[in-house]
Amino acid sequence: MLGGIEAGGTKIVCAVGSSPDQILASQVIPTADPAASFQQVCAFFDTAQATHGRIDSIGVAAFGPVDIDPGSPTYGTVQRTVKPGWAGASWVDGLSRLGCPFIVDTDVNGAALGEWRLGAGKGYATLAYVTVGTGIGAGVLKNGRSMSGSGHYEMGHIYPPHDYESDPFPGRCPLHRDCLEGLASGPAITDRWGVTLSEVPAGHPAFALQAGYLAHLATTITLTHMPDRIIFGGGVMKAPGLMERLRAATRILLADYLSDGPASGDLAGYLVPPALGDEAGVTGALAMAEARAGHAAH
Amino acid sequence: MLGGIEAGGTKIVCAVGSSPDQILASQVIPTADPAASFQQVCAFFDTAQATHGRIDSIGVAAFGPVDIDPGSPTYGTVQRTVKPGWAGASWVDGLSRLGCPFIVDTDVNGAALGEWRLGAGKGYATLAYVTVGTGIGAGVLKNGRSMSGSGHYEMGHIYPPHDYESDPFPGRCPLHRDCLEGLASGPAITDRWGVTLSEVPAGHPAFALQAGYLAHLATTITLTHMPDRIIFGGGVMKAPGLMERLRAATRILLADYLSDGPASGDLAGYLVPPALGDEAGVTGALAMAEARAGHAAH
């Protein structure tokens, strides 16, 4: 039996399953303060274990910044976050009373793994996953293993070219102002236009602007990681037509430079939506648990 | 006995050594057309083998774009380059008559490996190496192994924010115009100012501009790879004071976001010059050969 936790800023999804694609029970818990959230998470797994049997391991795909280095003394600890009460909260401490092994990675790395195991990332040796929602984040897998350096990647804070004439919006990132998250996250869109991207009419300039910023991210991920495919998920990507505009804008930026690789042609097979939709995260958390338990199929 | 080849756009450095830090003979060959260059390279190794004994393997640190995937049918082949005659030239074919195993990687990955083995990168798990010269390139090592995806990285073509008011120079990259290479390579500096950065006086605006563009690269590499250290080498970096300005500009862009990692504080230990100077490339090529021969110390 596997446990999975997808922890986001507004909700925490808990699940148990016999494999990543066989979910037997799940529950959505609103993200409260850490003590209350951990208590509810543990209560779910207590009940699940009583019903479905002993859990071998739990995968935690958590919002960041979070320490994902298993060798670190602060492994599983939430870092420098703006979410009230969560800075310094530890998934290791919060889940310890369950007494089973677990693994902590970022939410976006979890979603990437879910897609790699069962969705749009199957068979891709170097796979990138981008989420565009309340924040912007990206993860990269090599053969199903999430990549990191001294910490997990922080690609939402890359600075794209920002033309103040066509976009006078100054950006809303409290630290970096006009980084990608400051210019192109869901809250940046609503701050700038008063509505979400899904609510503006098709010809609205918001689409070209958004596609341009995300094309800068797609181009930068391409040049820095040379992935075989990039999956773009998250709430903002649900706006009709955005994916097609993203491909067209990325083509212009790449200027056919990488014509002998996957980032070539019309990019229809290179920049793609998630196949698992909103299930990618918890599926990936279960896949993390499976890998941790040592009976991963790959 | 190890062989090393550092192949640049203007010169090819060949060396043999008993280890990466024990060079027994070396020769500099001007980069001509591939046939003439390969002939001279092979002649050097013929003589070297006659004098110093059989070479176990050769490391080739070559200008790109080049196919560095040993599993590819076009391994070692130079791709889509502007260097006359080199597009489609194959290091595999060019060196085949020497009859010894070899390994091909990019020049910048070679320099990174040289610094990791014997220079400013020793002990750094995730190490990035940037060269700023005729072109701009970067490589990333994980525990001494160069990272790649569908091909080697192409970080010189990242687009930095470009403020046309403070920098009306349009950029000189034939494909991307104002990418980093188009704005901040050695030729971009001389196109813009008429002189090199080492020739302008200390207070000249060229310094702030150059530091700003390179800080964008340092910041982007940080956010996309989270290295433990970034080495900045190449001819342009020899301009006095540029490294200090690069650190200051990068600090501003990072805005103390990563205060719990290596990219924190004054960045004096994070952004550093090469320790091996111009020797990094050929040292790295010999280290590649050592790894290929299977008696790598690491």
Side-chain angles (χ1 to χ4, degrees):
Chain A
M1 191 64 47
L2 306 169
I5 301 171
E6 181 197 8
T10 55
K11 67 182 200 296
I12 297 172
V13 184
C14 299
V16 291
S18 52
S19 77
D21 54 349
Q22 291 291 333
I23 294 176
L24 298 171
S26 68
Q27 188 182 337
V28 178
I29 296 164
T31 305
D33 64 276
S37 299
F38 290 144
Q39 194 276 324
Q40 286 190 273
V41 168
C42 288
F44 166 80
F45 286 110
D46 284 341
T47 306
Q49 292 200 89
T51 312
H52 300 285
R54 177 101 196 114
I55 292 169
D56 295 306
S57 68
I58 296 177
V60 184
F63 63 81
V66 59
D67 185 341
I68 61 168
D69 174 8
S72 161
T74 54
Y75 180 53
T77 301
V78 179
Q79 301 159 317
R80 54 176 201 287
T81 180
V82 294
K83 287 177 185 70
W86 280 89
S90 164
W91 287 96
V92 174
D93 295 346
L95 301 181
S96 62
R97 82 157 173 79
L98 293 172
C100 63
F102 54 90
I103 181 168
V104 180
D105 207 334
T106 63
D107 45 5
V108 73
N109 283 341
L113 183 60
E115 292 288 337
W116 184 78
R117 278 296 307 280
L118 295 162
K122 270 198 273 191
Y124 289 87
T126 305
L127 177 70
Y129 185 100
V130 176
T131 183
V132 188
T134 310
I136 294 179
V140 180
L141 306 185
K142 292 267 185 200
N143 300 311
R145 291 189 55 192
S146 68
M147 304 298 298
S148 61
S150 63
H152 57 74
Y153 299 153
E154 290 280 3
M155 300 202 211
H157 297 285
I158 291 169
Y159 294 88
H162 178 193
D163 176 1
Y164 281 85
E165 256 179 66
S166 61
D167 180 22
F169 181 69
R172 71 183 309 278
C173 175
L175 280 171
H176 307 104
R177 210 182 53 174
D178 60 350
C179 65
L180 279 161
E181 199 165 285
L183 289 172
S185 62
I189 295 168
T190 51
D191 274 11
R192 187 192 284 107
W193 305 108
V195 289
T196 69
L197 202 59
S198 295
E199 291 165 332
V200 302
H204 195 283
F207 274 99
L209 203 61
Q210 184 70 16
Y213 289 136
L214 296 183
H216 181 78
L217 179 56
T219 300
T220 302
I221 291 175
T222 299
L223 299 170
T224 55
H225 282 281
M226 299 292 279
D228 297 298
R229 169 168 271 192
I230 308 177
I231 300 170
F232 270 80
V236 170
M237 292 308 301
K238 293 177 183 171
L242 180 58
M243 182 63 75
E244 290 74 15
R245 282 173 172 273
L246 167 61
R247 290 184 189 128
T250 305
R251 261 189 103 164
I252 292 170
L253 290 182
L254 289 174
D256 216 28
Y257 180 59
L258 305 170
S259 53
D260 43 12
S264 59
D266 65 7
L267 305 181
Y270 183 63
L271 305 178
V272 302
L276 305 179
D278 297 335
E279 297 294 303
V282 76
T283 301
L286 289 167
M288 286 163 57
E290 188 180 56
R292 178 67 180 79
H295 47 68
H298 297 261
Chain B
M1 190 63 48
L2 306 169
I5 300 171
E6 181 197 9
T10 55
K11 66 182 200 301
I12 298 173
V13 184
C14 300
V16 291
S18 51
S19 76
D21 54 349
Q22 291 291 332
I23 294 176
L24 299 171
S26 68
Q27 188 183 339
V28 178
I29 296 164
T31 305
D33 63 278
S37 300
F38 289 144
Q39 195 276 325
Q40 286 191 273
V41 167
C42 288
F44 166 80
F45 285 110
D46 285 340
T47 307
Q49 293 200 86
T51 313
H52 300 285
R54 178 102 197 114
I55 291 168
D56 295 305
S57 67
I58 296 177
V60 184
F63 63 81
V66 59
D67 185 341
I68 61 167
D69 174 8
S72 161
T74 55
Y75 179 54
T77 301
V78 179
Q79 300 159 317
R80 52 174 204 289
T81 180
V82 293
K83 287 176 186 72
W86 280 89
S90 164
W91 288 96
V92 173
D93 295 345
L95 302 181
S96 62
R97 83 156 174 79
L98 293 173
C100 64
F102 56 88
I103 181 169
V104 180
D105 206 335
T106 62
D107 44 5
V108 73
N109 283 341
L113 183 60
E115 291 288 337
W116 185 80
R117 278 297 305 281
L118 295 163
K122 270 198 273 190
Y124 290 86
T126 306
L127 177 70
Y129 185 100
V130 176
T131 184
V132 188
T134 310
I136 295 179
V140 179
L141 305 184
K142 292 267 186 200
N143 299 313
R145 291 190 54 193
S146 69
M147 304 297 298
S148 61
S150 63
H152 57 73
Y153 300 154
E154 290 280 3
M155 301 203 210
H157 297 286
I158 292 169
Y159 294 89
H162 178 192
D163 177 2
Y164 281 85
E165 256 180 67
S166 61
D167 180 23
F169 182 68
R172 71 182 310 277
C173 176
L175 280 170
H176 306 104
R177 209 182 54 173
D178 60 350
C179 66
L180 280 161
E181 200 166 285
L183 289 172
S185 61
I189 295 168
T190 50
D191 274 11
R192 187 192 283 107
W193 305 108
V195 289
T196 69
L197 202 59
S198 296
E199 291 165 332
V200 302
H204 195 283
F207 274 99
L209 202 62
Q210 184 69 16
Y213 290 135
L214 296 183
H216 181 78
L217 180 56
T219 300
T220 303
I221 291 174
T222 299
L223 298 169
T224 55
H225 282 282
M226 299 292 278
D228 297 299
R229 168 168 273 191
I230 308 177
I231 300 169
F232 270 79
V236 171
M237 292 308 300
K238 292 176 183 171
L242 180 57
M243 182 63 76
E244 291 73 15
R245 282 172 173 274
L246 167 61
R247 290 184 188 127
T250 305
R251 261 189 102 163
I252 291 169
L253 291 181
L254 289 174
D256 216 28
Y257 180 59
L258 304 171
S259 53
D260 43 12
S264 58
D266 63 8
L267 305 181
Y270 183 62
L271 305 178
V272 302
L276 306 179
D278 297 335
E279 297 295 302
V282 75
T283 301
L286 289 167
M288 286 163 56
E290 188 180 58
R292 178 68 180 78
H295 46 68
H298 296 261

